[in-house]
Amino acid sequence: MMALLEAHETLLTRLAHADGVLRPVEAHTIGAILKRLSEVHPSTHRKMTKTSARDSLSSETVGAIAELSARPLCERERIVQLLWVVALCDGELHPREEALVYQFADALGVSRATVARQQPDI
């Protein structure tokens, strides 16, 4: 079974690559999120790996979703909030990023209404 921190990292990293480019601000934001999460959920942190935006439902992503889906709803909603943070940290929302946030939220069992309410205005 995938570790909780690794599951977060997998989804956040896949999202950051959704537009085809991992920008330094995205890598920094993911690193800061993972650092904070590791304080709450101690775990081994691994280096971010390059992923393909087209590979959003790879076995690693499916494993991450399975791990995170077992968490309480409030935690799954928090994960979606973190996805929005990463999607918007570079100052723009790419259509593939938005679609992936919704795809991950659907897989995590977070309602579309909740996801839409969480989406910041840009």
Side-chain angles (χ1 to χ4, degrees), residues 70-82:
R71 308 302 298 177
L73 180 60
C74 62
E75 288 185 37
R76 289 180 278 138
E77 290 173 348
R78 178 70 180 136
I79 292 162
V80 174
Q81 289 174 336
L82 295 173

Side-chain angles (χ1 to χ4, degrees), residues 34-90:
L34 294 174
K35 182 175 189 267
R36 176 65 181 120
L37 288 173
S38 70
E39 294 167 0
V40 177
H41 304 284
S43 180
T44 303
H45 174 66
R46 63 187 182 89
K47 184 176 164 85
M48 278 187 284
T49 56
K50 181 161 175 57
T51 60
S52 167
R54 292 186 195 108
D55 195 24
S56 62
L57 291 178
S58 69
S59 61
E60 184 179 24
T61 302
V62 171
I65 288 170
E67 175 72 29
L68 296 169
S69 291
R71 308 302 298 177
L73 180 60
C74 62
E75 288 185 37
R76 289 180 278 138
E77 290 173 348
R78 178 70 180 136
I79 292 162
V80 174
Q81 289 174 336
L82 295 173
L83 291 168
W84 283 127
V85 168
V86 171
L88 295 167
C89 70
D90 61 359

